[in-house]
PDB file of all heavy atoms in Angstrom:
ATOM      1  N   TRP A   1     -12.954 -31.853   5.347  1.00 98.00           N
ATOM      2  CA  TRP A   1     -12.005 -32.405   4.407  1.00 98.00           C
ATOM      3  C   TRP A   1     -11.374 -33.669   5.000  1.00 98.00           C
ATOM      4  O   TRP A   1     -11.273 -34.702   4.343  1.00 98.00           O
ATOM      5  CB  TRP A   1     -10.947 -31.400   4.080  1.00 98.00           C
ATOM      6  CG  TRP A   1      -9.977 -31.853   3.032  1.00 98.00           C
ATOM      7  CD1 TRP A   1      -8.679 -32.262   3.222  1.00 98.00           C
ATOM      8  CD2 TRP A   1     -10.217 -31.976   1.614  1.00 98.00           C
ATOM      9  NE1 TRP A   1      -8.101 -32.634   2.026  1.00 98.00           N
ATOM     10  CE2 TRP A   1      -9.037 -32.429   1.016  1.00 98.00           C
ATOM     11  CE3 TRP A   1     -11.316 -31.703   0.774  1.00 98.00           C
ATOM     12  CZ2 TRP A   1      -8.892 -32.686  -0.353  1.00 98.00           C
ATOM     13  CZ3 TRP A   1     -11.203 -31.904  -0.577  1.00 98.00           C
ATOM     14  CH2 TRP A   1     -10.016 -32.400  -1.127  1.00 98.00           C
ATOM     15  N   ALA A   2     -10.949 -33.572   6.282  1.00 98.00           N
ATOM     16  CA  ALA A   2     -10.358 -34.730   6.935  1.00 98.00           C
ATOM     17  C   ALA A   2     -11.382 -35.869   7.091  1.00 98.00           C
ATOM     18  O   ALA A   2     -11.052 -37.020   6.891  1.00 98.00           O
ATOM     19  CB  ALA A   2      -9.818 -34.334   8.311  1.00 98.00           C
ATOM     20  N   VAL A   3     -12.630 -35.529   7.456  1.00 98.00           N
ATOM     21  CA  VAL A   3     -13.666 -36.528   7.621  1.00 98.00           C
ATOM     22  C   VAL A   3     -13.920 -37.208   6.257  1.00 98.00           C
ATOM     23  O   VAL A   3     -14.131 -38.438   6.227  1.00 98.00           O
ATOM     24  CB  VAL A   3     -14.962 -35.882   8.149  1.00 98.00           C
ATOM     25  CG1 VAL A   3     -16.150 -36.793   7.933  1.00 98.00           C
ATOM     26  CG2 VAL A   3     -14.795 -35.541   9.614  1.00 98.00           C
ATOM     27  N   SER A   4     -13.891 -36.471   5.175  1.00 98.00           N
ATOM     28  CA  SER A   4     -14.122 -37.028   3.865  1.00 98.00           C
ATOM     29  C   SER A   4     -12.975 -37.979   3.475  1.00 98.00           C
ATOM     30  O   SER A   4     -13.211 -39.005   2.849  1.00 98.00           O
ATOM     31  CB  SER A   4     -14.271 -35.926   2.834  1.00 98.00           C
ATOM     32  OG  SER A   4     -15.390 -35.111   3.134  1.00 98.00           O
ATOM     33  N   GLN A   5     -11.790 -37.612   3.848  1.00 98.00           N
ATOM     34  CA  GLN A   5     -10.626 -38.513   3.599  1.00 98.00           C
ATOM     35  C   GLN A   5     -10.780 -39.805   4.412  1.00 98.00           C
ATOM     36  O   GLN A   5     -10.527 -40.915   3.895  1.00 98.00           O
ATOM     37  CB  GLN A   5      -9.335 -37.811   3.966  1.00 98.00           C
ATOM     38  CG  GLN A   5      -8.944 -36.667   3.021  1.00 98.00           C
ATOM     39  CD  GLN A   5      -7.673 -35.996   3.443  1.00 98.00           C
ATOM     40  OE1 GLN A   5      -7.503 -35.625   4.612  1.00 98.00           O
ATOM     41  NE2 GLN A   5      -6.753 -35.814   2.494  1.00 98.00           N
ATOM     42  N   GLU A   6     -11.130 -39.675   5.672  1.00 98.00           N
ATOM     43  CA  GLU A   6     -11.275 -40.841   6.560  1.00 98.00           C
ATOM     44  C   GLU A   6     -12.348 -41.782   6.063  1.00 98.00           C
ATOM     45  O   GLU A   6     -12.158 -43.008   6.028  1.00 98.00           O
ATOM     46  CB  GLU A   6     -11.611 -40.369   7.986  1.00 98.00           C
ATOM     47  CG  GLU A   6     -10.505 -39.603   8.674  1.00 98.00           C
ATOM     48  CD  GLU A   6     -10.940 -38.847   9.919  1.00 98.00           C
ATOM     49  OE1 GLU A   6     -12.193 -38.731  10.134  1.00 98.00           O
ATOM     50  OE2 GLU A   6     -10.111 -38.321  10.653  1.00 98.00           O
ATOM     51  N   SER A   7     -13.469 -41.209   5.652  1.00 98.00           N
ATOM     52  CA  SER A   7     -14.575 -42.035   5.187  1.00 98.00           C
ATOM     53  C   SER A   7     -14.311 -42.647   3.828  1.00 98.00           C
ATOM     54  O   SER A   7     -14.774 -43.766   3.531  1.00 98.00           O
ATOM     55  CB  SER A   7     -15.893 -41.255   5.185  1.00 98.00           C
ATOM     56  OG  SER A   7     -15.747 -40.000   4.475  1.00 98.00           O
ATOM     57  N   LEU A   8     -13.555 -41.961   2.944  1.00 98.00           N
ATOM     58  CA  LEU A   8     -13.177 -42.569   1.672  1.00 98.00           C
ATOM     59  C   LEU A   8     -12.205 -43.722   1.899  1.00 98.00           C
ATOM     60  O   LEU A   8     -12.300 -44.770   1.275  1.00 98.00           O
ATOM     61  CB  LEU A   8     -12.577 -41.507   0.743  1.00 98.00           C
ATOM     62  CG  LEU A   8     -12.080 -42.010  -0.609  1.00 98.00           C
ATOM     63  CD1 LEU A   8     -13.189 -42.702  -1.408  1.00 98.00           C
ATOM     64  CD2 LEU A   8     -11.468 -40.854  -1.450  1.00 98.00           C
ATOM     65  N   ALA A   9     -11.262 -43.509   2.803  1.00 98.00           N
ATOM     66  CA  ALA A   9     -10.288 -44.570   3.107  1.00 98.00           C
ATOM     67  C   ALA A   9     -11.010 -45.788   3.675  1.00 98.00           C
ATOM     68  O   ALA A   9     -10.697 -46.932   3.308  1.00 98.00           O
ATOM     69  CB  ALA A   9      -9.228 -44.046   4.098  1.00 98.00           C
ATOM     70  N   TYR A  10     -11.972 -45.549   4.561  1.00 98.00           N
ATOM     71  CA  TYR A  10     -12.800 -46.653   5.100  1.00 98.00           C
ATOM     72  C   TYR A  10     -13.457 -47.419   3.968  1.00 98.00           C
ATOM     73  O   TYR A  10     -13.457 -48.640   3.922  1.00 98.00           O
ATOM     74  CB  TYR A  10     -13.843 -46.086   6.063  1.00 98.00           C
ATOM     75  CG  TYR A  10     -14.878 -47.113   6.475  1.00 98.00           C
ATOM     76  CD1 TYR A  10     -14.749 -47.839   7.634  1.00 98.00           C
ATOM     77  CD2 TYR A  10     -16.003 -47.378   5.668  1.00 98.00           C
ATOM     78  CE1 TYR A  10     -15.677 -48.815   8.026  1.00 98.00           C
ATOM     79  CE2 TYR A  10     -16.930 -48.342   6.005  1.00 98.00           C
ATOM     80  CZ  TYR A  10     -16.771 -49.027   7.196  1.00 98.00           C
ATOM     81  OH  TYR A  10     -17.675 -49.995   7.553  1.00 98.00           O
ATOM     82  N   THR A  11     -14.095 -46.665   3.061  1.00 98.00           N
ATOM     83  CA  THR A  11     -14.856 -47.267   1.964  1.00 98.00           C
ATOM     84  C   THR A  11     -14.001 -48.167   1.091  1.00 98.00           C
ATOM     85  O   THR A  11     -14.365 -49.321   0.813  1.00 98.00           O
ATOM     86  CB  THR A  11     -15.513 -46.163   1.126  1.00 98.00           C
ATOM     87  OG1 THR A  11     -16.403 -45.392   1.936  1.00 98.00           O
ATOM     88  CG2 THR A  11     -16.296 -46.761  -0.052  1.00 98.00           C
ATOM     89  N   LEU A  12     -12.870 -47.630   0.660  1.00 98.00           N
ATOM     90  CA  LEU A  12     -11.977 -48.387  -0.235  1.00 98.00           C
ATOM     91  C   LEU A  12     -11.399 -49.610   0.461  1.00 98.00           C
ATOM     92  O   LEU A  12     -11.314 -50.694  -0.117  1.00 98.00           O
ATOM     93  CB  LEU A  12     -10.866 -47.494  -0.795  1.00 98.00           C
ATOM     94  CG  LEU A  12     -11.330 -46.299  -1.646  1.00 98.00           C
ATOM     95  CD1 LEU A  12     -10.161 -45.443  -2.028  1.00 98.00           C
ATOM     96  CD2 LEU A  12     -12.079 -46.794  -2.862  1.00 98.00           C
ATOM     97  N   ASP A  13     -11.079 -49.458   1.755  1.00 98.00           N
ATOM     98  CA  ASP A  13     -10.531 -50.575   2.513  1.00 98.00           C
ATOM     99  C   ASP A  13     -11.588 -51.638   2.740  1.00 98.00           C
ATOM    100  O   ASP A  13     -11.318 -52.832   2.613  1.00 98.00           O
ATOM    101  CB  ASP A  13      -9.976 -50.057   3.855  1.00 98.00           C
ATOM    102  CG  ASP A  13      -9.411 -51.174   4.693  1.00 98.00           C
ATOM    103  OD1 ASP A  13      -8.430 -51.787   4.262  1.00 98.00           O
ATOM    104  OD2 ASP A  13      -9.961 -51.435   5.785  1.00 98.00           O
ATOM    105  N   CYS A  14     -12.812 -51.187   3.059  1.00 97.00           N
ATOM    106  CA  CYS A  14     -13.896 -52.122   3.325  1.00 97.00           C
ATOM    107  C   CYS A  14     -14.241 -52.932   2.119  1.00 97.00           C
ATOM    108  O   CYS A  14     -14.478 -54.171   2.213  1.00 97.00           O
ATOM    109  CB  CYS A  14     -15.116 -51.328   3.831  1.00 97.00           C
ATOM    110  SG  CYS A  14     -16.501 -52.364   4.338  1.00 97.00           S
ATOM    111  N   ILE A  15     -14.276 -52.292   0.957  1.00 97.00           N
ATOM    112  CA  ILE A  15     -14.604 -52.995  -0.299  1.00 97.00           C
ATOM    113  C   ILE A  15     -13.441 -53.874  -0.760  1.00 97.00           C
ATOM    114  O   ILE A  15     -13.614 -54.831  -1.512  1.00 97.00           O
ATOM    115  CB  ILE A  15     -15.014 -51.974  -1.361  1.00 97.00           C
ATOM    116  CG1 ILE A  15     -16.320 -51.257  -0.916  1.00 97.00           C
ATOM    117  CG2 ILE A  15     -15.245 -52.629  -2.713  1.00 97.00           C
ATOM    118  CD1 ILE A  15     -16.695 -50.058  -1.795  1.00 97.00           C
ATOM    119  N   GLY A  16     -12.230 -53.513  -0.296  1.00 97.00           N
ATOM    120  CA  GLY A  16     -11.060 -54.272  -0.642  1.00 97.00           C
ATOM    121  C   GLY A  16     -10.426 -53.804  -1.931  1.00 97.00           C
ATOM    122  O   GLY A  16      -9.937 -54.636  -2.744  1.00 97.00           O
ATOM    123  N   ILE A  17     -10.380 -52.519  -2.146  1.00 95.00           N
ATOM    124  CA  ILE A  17      -9.812 -51.949  -3.364  1.00 95.00           C
ATOM    125  C   ILE A  17      -8.474 -51.278  -3.086  1.00 95.00           C
ATOM    126  O   ILE A  17      -8.423 -50.261  -2.337  1.00 95.00           O
ATOM    127  CB  ILE A  17     -10.772 -50.919  -3.985  1.00 95.00           C
ATOM    128  CG1 ILE A  17     -12.133 -51.551  -4.353  1.00 95.00           C
ATOM    129  CG2 ILE A  17     -10.158 -50.267  -5.198  1.00 95.00           C
ATOM    130  CD1 ILE A  17     -13.155 -50.579  -4.853  1.00 95.00           C
ATOM    131  N   PRO A  18      -7.381 -51.810  -3.626  1.00 94.00           N
ATOM    132  CA  PRO A  18      -6.105 -51.118  -3.472  1.00 94.00           C
ATOM    133  C   PRO A  18      -6.069 -49.834  -4.296  1.00 94.00           C
ATOM    134  O   PRO A  18      -6.696 -49.769  -5.353  1.00 94.00           O
ATOM    135  CB  PRO A  18      -5.068 -52.143  -3.968  1.00 94.00           C
ATOM    136  CG  PRO A  18      -5.842 -53.010  -4.927  1.00 94.00           C
ATOM    137  CD  PRO A  18      -7.270 -53.039  -4.400  1.00 94.00           C
ATOM    138  N   TYR A  19      -5.345 -48.842  -3.834  1.00 94.00           N
ATOM    139  CA  TYR A  19      -5.328 -47.581  -4.564  1.00 94.00           C
ATOM    140  C   TYR A  19      -4.008 -46.867  -4.332  1.00 94.00           C
ATOM    141  O   TYR A  19      -3.340 -47.095  -3.313  1.00 94.00           O
ATOM    142  CB  TYR A  19      -6.489 -46.684  -4.133  1.00 94.00           C
ATOM    143  CG  TYR A  19      -6.520 -46.390  -2.648  1.00 94.00           C
ATOM    144  CD1 TYR A  19      -5.833 -45.288  -2.115  1.00 94.00           C
ATOM    145  CD2 TYR A  19      -7.193 -47.218  -1.758  1.00 94.00           C
ATOM    146  CE1 TYR A  19      -5.850 -45.018  -0.739  1.00 94.00           C
ATOM    147  CE2 TYR A  19      -7.195 -46.970  -0.384  1.00 94.00           C
ATOM    148  CZ  TYR A  19      -6.541 -45.864   0.086  1.00 94.00           C
ATOM    149  OH  TYR A  19      -6.526 -45.612   1.453  1.00 94.00           O
ATOM    150  N   GLU A  20      -3.650 -46.010  -5.247  1.00 96.00           N
ATOM    151  CA  GLU A  20      -2.474 -45.161  -5.130  1.00 96.00           C
ATOM    152  C   GLU A  20      -2.874 -43.810  -4.538  1.00 96.00           C
ATOM    153  O   GLU A  20      -3.997 -43.359  -4.680  1.00 96.00           O
ATOM    154  CB  GLU A  20      -1.803 -44.981  -6.492  1.00 96.00           C
ATOM    155  CG  GLU A  20      -1.283 -46.278  -7.094  1.00 96.00           C
ATOM    156  CD  GLU A  20      -0.677 -46.057  -8.486  1.00 96.00           C
ATOM    157  OE1 GLU A  20      -0.725 -44.906  -8.980  1.00 96.00           O
ATOM    158  OE2 GLU A  20      -0.190 -47.048  -9.052  1.00 96.00           O
ATOM    159  N   LYS A  21      -1.924 -43.145  -3.908  1.00 97.00           N
ATOM    160  CA  LYS A  21      -2.153 -41.845  -3.309  1.00 97.00           C
ATOM    161  C   LYS A  21      -2.689 -40.851  -4.305  1.00 97.00           C
ATOM    162  O   LYS A  21      -3.605 -40.075  -4.003  1.00 97.00           O
ATOM    163  CB  LYS A  21      -0.880 -41.325  -2.673  1.00 97.00           C
ATOM    164  CG  LYS A  21      -1.059 -39.983  -1.973  1.00 97.00           C
ATOM    165  CD  LYS A  21       0.257 -39.494  -1.369  1.00 97.00           C
ATOM    166  CE  LYS A  21       0.082 -38.135  -0.707  1.00 97.00           C
ATOM    167  NZ  LYS A  21       1.361 -37.601  -0.154  1.00 97.00           N
ATOM    168  N   THR A  22      -2.144 -40.874  -5.520  1.00 98.00           N
ATOM    169  CA  THR A  22      -2.589 -39.897  -6.531  1.00 98.00           C
ATOM    170  C   THR A  22      -4.044 -40.110  -6.929  1.00 98.00           C
ATOM    171  O   THR A  22      -4.775 -39.158  -7.169  1.00 98.00           O
ATOM    172  CB  THR A  22      -1.695 -39.983  -7.808  1.00 98.00           C
ATOM    173  OG1 THR A  22      -1.681 -41.371  -8.255  1.00 98.00           O
ATOM    174  CG2 THR A  22      -0.278 -39.531  -7.495  1.00 98.00           C
ATOM    175  N   VAL A  23      -4.463 -41.385  -7.010  1.00 98.00           N
ATOM    176  CA  VAL A  23      -5.880 -41.712  -7.324  1.00 98.00           C
ATOM    177  C   VAL A  23      -6.781 -41.215  -6.203  1.00 98.00           C
ATOM    178  O   VAL A  23      -7.851 -40.627  -6.459  1.00 98.00           O
ATOM    179  CB  VAL A  23      -6.019 -43.207  -7.564  1.00 98.00           C
ATOM    180  CG1 VAL A  23      -7.504 -43.582  -7.669  1.00 98.00           C
ATOM    181  CG2 VAL A  23      -5.292 -43.645  -8.815  1.00 98.00           C
ATOM    182  N   PHE A  24      -6.385 -41.488  -4.970  1.00 98.00           N
ATOM    183  CA  PHE A  24      -7.146 -41.028  -3.792  1.00 98.00           C
ATOM    184  C   PHE A  24      -7.319 -39.523  -3.848  1.00 98.00           C
ATOM    185  O   PHE A  24      -8.397 -38.979  -3.630  1.00 98.00           O
ATOM    186  CB  PHE A  24      -6.407 -41.430  -2.527  1.00 98.00           C
ATOM    187  CG  PHE A  24      -7.172 -41.229  -1.239  1.00 98.00           C
ATOM    188  CD1 PHE A  24      -7.933 -42.233  -0.695  1.00 98.00           C
ATOM    189  CD2 PHE A  24      -7.085 -39.995  -0.583  1.00 98.00           C
ATOM    190  CE1 PHE A  24      -8.609 -42.032   0.491  1.00 98.00           C
ATOM    191  CE2 PHE A  24      -7.781 -39.771   0.600  1.00 98.00           C
ATOM    192  CZ  PHE A  24      -8.572 -40.822   1.134  1.00 98.00           C
ATOM    193  N   GLU A  25      -6.258 -38.809  -4.148  1.00 98.00           N
ATOM    194  CA  GLU A  25      -6.301 -37.319  -4.180  1.00 98.00           C
ATOM    195  C   GLU A  25      -7.178 -36.834  -5.345  1.00 98.00           C
ATOM    196  O   GLU A  25      -7.850 -35.800  -5.151  1.00 98.00           O
ATOM    197  CB  GLU A  25      -4.884 -36.794  -4.315  1.00 98.00           C
ATOM    198  CG  GLU A  25      -4.023 -36.990  -3.046  1.00 98.00           C
ATOM    199  CD  GLU A  25      -2.585 -36.585  -3.226  1.00 98.00           C
ATOM    200  OE1 GLU A  25      -2.146 -36.385  -4.409  1.00 98.00           O
ATOM    201  OE2 GLU A  25      -1.871 -36.484  -2.232  1.00 98.00           O
ATOM    202  N   GLU A  26      -7.189 -37.514  -6.455  1.00 98.00           N
ATOM    203  CA  GLU A  26      -8.001 -37.109  -7.591  1.00 98.00           C
ATOM    204  C   GLU A  26      -9.488 -37.274  -7.228  1.00 98.00           C
ATOM    205  O   GLU A  26     -10.330 -36.459  -7.611  1.00 98.00           O
ATOM    206  CB  GLU A  26      -7.659 -37.941  -8.803  1.00 98.00           C
ATOM    207  CG  GLU A  26      -6.374 -37.551  -9.475  1.00 98.00           C
ATOM    208  CD  GLU A  26      -6.084 -38.396 -10.693  1.00 98.00           C
ATOM    209  OE1 GLU A  26      -6.926 -38.433 -11.611  1.00 98.00           O
ATOM    210  OE2 GLU A  26      -4.992 -39.028 -10.733  1.00 98.00           O
ATOM    211  N   ILE A  27      -9.814 -38.357  -6.540  1.00 98.00           N
ATOM    212  CA  ILE A  27     -11.206 -38.545  -6.117  1.00 98.00           C
ATOM    213  C   ILE A  27     -11.615 -37.481  -5.114  1.00 98.00           C
ATOM    214  O   ILE A  27     -12.702 -36.878  -5.250  1.00 98.00           O
ATOM    215  CB  ILE A  27     -11.408 -39.951  -5.537  1.00 98.00           C
ATOM    216  CG1 ILE A  27     -11.176 -41.032  -6.567  1.00 98.00           C
ATOM    217  CG2 ILE A  27     -12.800 -40.111  -4.918  1.00 98.00           C
ATOM    218  CD1 ILE A  27     -11.154 -42.444  -6.046  1.00 98.00           C
ATOM    219  N   MET A  28     -10.778 -37.206  -4.153  1.00 98.00           N
ATOM    220  CA  MET A  28     -11.082 -36.182  -3.159  1.00 98.00           C
ATOM    221  C   MET A  28     -11.266 -34.807  -3.805  1.00 98.00           C
ATOM    222  O   MET A  28     -12.116 -34.028  -3.409  1.00 98.00           O
ATOM    223  CB  MET A  28      -9.946 -36.081  -2.147  1.00 98.00           C
ATOM    224  CG  MET A  28      -9.977 -37.169  -1.084  1.00 98.00           C
ATOM    225  SD  MET A  28     -11.409 -37.037   0.029  1.00 98.00           S
ATOM    226  CE  MET A  28     -11.290 -35.333   0.604  1.00 98.00           C
ATOM    227  N   ALA A  29     -10.478 -34.534  -4.844  1.00 98.00           N
ATOM    228  CA  ALA A  29     -10.551 -33.212  -5.501  1.00 98.00           C
ATOM    229  C   ALA A  29     -11.915 -32.932  -6.080  1.00 98.00           C
ATOM    230  O   ALA A  29     -12.301 -31.762  -6.291  1.00 98.00           O
ATOM    231  CB  ALA A  29      -9.467 -33.097  -6.605  1.00 98.00           C
ATOM    232  N   LYS A  30     -12.695 -33.971  -6.385  1.00 98.00           N
ATOM    233  CA  LYS A  30     -14.041 -33.748  -6.943  1.00 98.00           C
ATOM    234  C   LYS A  30     -14.908 -32.931  -5.997  1.00 98.00           C
ATOM    235  O   LYS A  30     -15.816 -32.193  -6.444  1.00 98.00           O
ATOM    236  CB  LYS A  30     -14.697 -35.101  -7.254  1.00 98.00           C
ATOM    237  CG  LYS A  30     -16.092 -34.990  -7.854  1.00 98.00           C
ATOM    238  CD  LYS A  30     -16.106 -34.267  -9.210  1.00 98.00           C
ATOM    239  CE  LYS A  30     -17.518 -34.262  -9.798  1.00 98.00           C
ATOM    240  NZ  LYS A  30     -17.577 -33.517 -11.080  1.00 98.00           N
ATOM    241  N   TYR A  31     -14.644 -32.992  -4.697  1.00 98.00           N
ATOM    242  CA  TYR A  31     -15.444 -32.245  -3.733  1.00 98.00           C
ATOM    243  C   TYR A  31     -15.213 -30.739  -3.870  1.00 98.00           C
ATOM    244  O   TYR A  31     -15.962 -29.930  -3.286  1.00 98.00           O
ATOM    245  CB  TYR A  31     -15.218 -32.705  -2.299  1.00 98.00           C
ATOM    246  CG  TYR A  31     -16.371 -33.566  -1.831  1.00 98.00           C
ATOM    247  CD1 TYR A  31     -16.411 -34.927  -2.090  1.00 98.00           C
ATOM    248  CD2 TYR A  31     -17.461 -33.022  -1.196  1.00 98.00           C
ATOM    249  CE1 TYR A  31     -17.514 -35.712  -1.725  1.00 98.00           C
ATOM    250  CE2 TYR A  31     -18.561 -33.786  -0.814  1.00 98.00           C
ATOM    251  CZ  TYR A  31     -18.572 -35.110  -1.088  1.00 98.00           C
ATOM    252  OH  TYR A  31     -19.668 -35.882  -0.727  1.00 98.00           O
ATOM    253  N   ARG A  32     -14.209 -30.339  -4.578  1.00 98.00           N
ATOM    254  CA  ARG A  32     -13.981 -28.923  -4.876  1.00 98.00           C
ATOM    255  C   ARG A  32     -14.561 -28.562  -6.255  1.00 98.00           C
ATOM    256  O   ARG A  32     -14.491 -27.401  -6.660  1.00 98.00           O
ATOM    257  CB  ARG A  32     -12.519 -28.569  -4.815  1.00 98.00           C
ATOM    258  CG  ARG A  32     -11.909 -28.836  -3.430  1.00 98.00           C
ATOM    259  CD  ARG A  32     -10.426 -28.460  -3.362  1.00 98.00           C
ATOM    260  NE  ARG A  32      -9.821 -28.862  -2.122  1.00 98.00           N
ATOM    261  CZ  ARG A  32      -9.756 -28.119  -1.005  1.00 98.00           C
ATOM    262  NH1 ARG A  32     -10.269 -26.883  -1.023  1.00 98.00           N
ATOM    263  NH2 ARG A  32      -9.184 -28.581   0.085  1.00 98.00           N
ATOM    264  N   HIS A  33     -15.180 -29.524  -6.932  1.00 98.00           N
ATOM    265  CA  HIS A  33     -15.735 -29.321  -8.256  1.00 98.00           C
ATOM    266  C   HIS A  33     -17.042 -30.056  -8.438  1.00 98.00           C
ATOM    267  O   HIS A  33     -17.358 -30.545  -9.538  1.00 98.00           O
ATOM    268  CB  HIS A  33     -14.740 -29.781  -9.322  1.00 98.00           C
ATOM    269  CG  HIS A  33     -13.447 -29.057  -9.298  1.00 98.00           C
ATOM    270  ND1 HIS A  33     -13.209 -27.920 -10.032  1.00 98.00           N
ATOM    271  CD2 HIS A  33     -12.267 -29.299  -8.610  1.00 98.00           C
ATOM    272  CE1 HIS A  33     -11.931 -27.484  -9.835  1.00 98.00           C
ATOM    273  NE2 HIS A  33     -11.395 -28.307  -8.973  1.00 98.00           N
ATOM    274  N   LEU A  34     -17.839 -30.184  -7.377  1.00 98.00           N
ATOM    275  CA  LEU A  34     -19.104 -30.874  -7.473  1.00 98.00           C
ATOM    276  C   LEU A  34     -20.006 -30.186  -8.461  1.00 98.00           C
ATOM    277  O   LEU A  34     -19.948 -28.956  -8.651  1.00 98.00           O
ATOM    278  CB  LEU A  34     -19.829 -30.954  -6.103  1.00 98.00           C
ATOM    279  CG  LEU A  34     -19.171 -31.844  -5.030  1.00 98.00           C
ATOM    280  CD1 LEU A  34     -19.904 -31.636  -3.704  1.00 98.00           C
ATOM    281  CD2 LEU A  34     -19.240 -33.327  -5.453  1.00 98.00           C
TER     282      LEU A  34
END
């Protein structure tokens, strides 16, 4: 879970996409509903 958060943060930062915490959490939640 932590690794997935770290790698998602890397991805969004690398691409240059600003995001809100709630959006980040909604994307992460998909891993509990694949």
Side-chain angles (χ1 to χ4, degrees):
W1 184 256
V3 164
S4 298
Q5 290 178 311
E6 292 164 351
S7 52
L8 178 57
Y10 170 94
T11 300
L12 298 176
D13 180 63
C14 185
I15 296 171
I17 299 177
Y19 57 90
E20 297 178 356
K21 181 181 178 182
T22 53
V23 171
F24 189 93
E25 290 173 347
E26 286 180 56
I27 295 173
M28 281 294 305
K30 181 62 178 178
Y31 257 86
R32 299 181 188 269
H33 299 269
L34 290 174

